Amino acid sequence: MSFFVALRKELLEQWRTYRLLVVTAVFVTFGLLSPLTAKFMDEILRAMPGGEEIGQMIPEQTVMDAVGQYVKNLSQFGVILALLMGMGAVAREKDRGTAALILSKPMSRAAFLAAKFVALGVTFAISLAAAAVAGYYYTALLFEPLDILAWLALNGLMLLFILVYVAITLLTSTLTRSQALAGGLAFVGVIVIGTIGIAPRIAEFLPGQLLTWGAGLLFGMDTSAWPALGVSVGIIVAALVGAWAVFERQEL
């Protein structure tokens, strides 16, 4: 029961502080802009000084380009927002003393952390769902309709990709009382994952491969990445368990 009380508190906070609205607005904006950018890339380049020759070199944009823009934009901004939203989730409450106040009531630290993660997950799920509707509509309008089930699978895999970084940031937020330090540590984690992902054989096991898998589903490509799915879930579980183990031993 304490988990649902904490979850309700977190969701209300996401709503009252307009974080849900801001994240949704960012996602929907890029969900709309991605197919628009792909469709009118030639015109944009030609309108720039000296861009006429560059525009002629670029092949005609297709629905694959629209999907590529969608995946790139939402995954990049999803990671950025995961860091910004998660870095103060625990650190801020420890610094202000509200964590000690909340946990003085009959609430376990595991429920406290789980509610944080689930609330952030709900925020990103709602935002991504809104972006998916906007992106699907404009892609169908400007190019051609996509397979709806494959589109849902792509966005589901993208949500899992973002949740990896939500979990990592929640862990770093648990380690310190400083939001800035928590964000810096999480950013280091992003850099480390990106760096080791340069090696193709290692990249097959990293969360980024989920995006390739999702995009491939739309075009009938065999890009399944079950190892990356397993590793992504493993990172989330390990980060949450690590956050709980650290939090249990901290003096508030």
Side-chain angles (χ1 to χ4, degrees), residues 6-24 81-82 84-90 92-93 115-127 166 170:
L7 178 59
R8 181 176 181 276
K9 167 192 169 295
E10 293 296 328
L11 292 174
L12 283 174
E13 185 177 346
Q14 296 288 338
W15 176 257
R16 290 171 178 171
T17 58
Y18 301 106
R19 293 174 190 172
L20 173 60
L21 181 61
V22 170
V23 176
T24 301
L81 289 170
L84 293 176
M85 293 280 287
M87 67 184 189
V90 182
R92 180 177 59 249
E93 298 217 30
K116 297 273 186 193
F117 177 75
V118 173
L120 287 170
V122 170
T123 295
F124 280 104
I126 292 173
S127 302
V166 170
L170 188 62

Side-chain angles (χ1 to χ4, degrees), residues 71-72 75 79 154 157-158 160-162 164-165 190 193-194 196-197 202-216 223 225 227-229 231-232 235:
V71 171
K72 182 182 71 174
S75 61
V79 172
L154 165 62
L157 290 169
M158 194 181 305
L160 179 59
F161 170 82
I162 294 171
V164 169
Y165 296 97
V190 173
I193 293 175
I196 64 177
I202 298 178
E204 296 178 2
F205 298 90
L206 297 180
Q209 196 64 25
L210 298 176
L211 306 177
T212 303
W213 184 8
T223 54
L229 178 64
V231 169
S232 298
I235 292 174

Side-chain angles (χ1 to χ4, degrees), residues 31-41 44 66 138 142-143:
L32 292 171
L33 287 179
S34 297
L36 285 169
T37 302
K39 181 66 175 179
F40 299 109
M41 179 61 71
I44 294 173
Y138 268 83
L142 297 174
F143 293 95

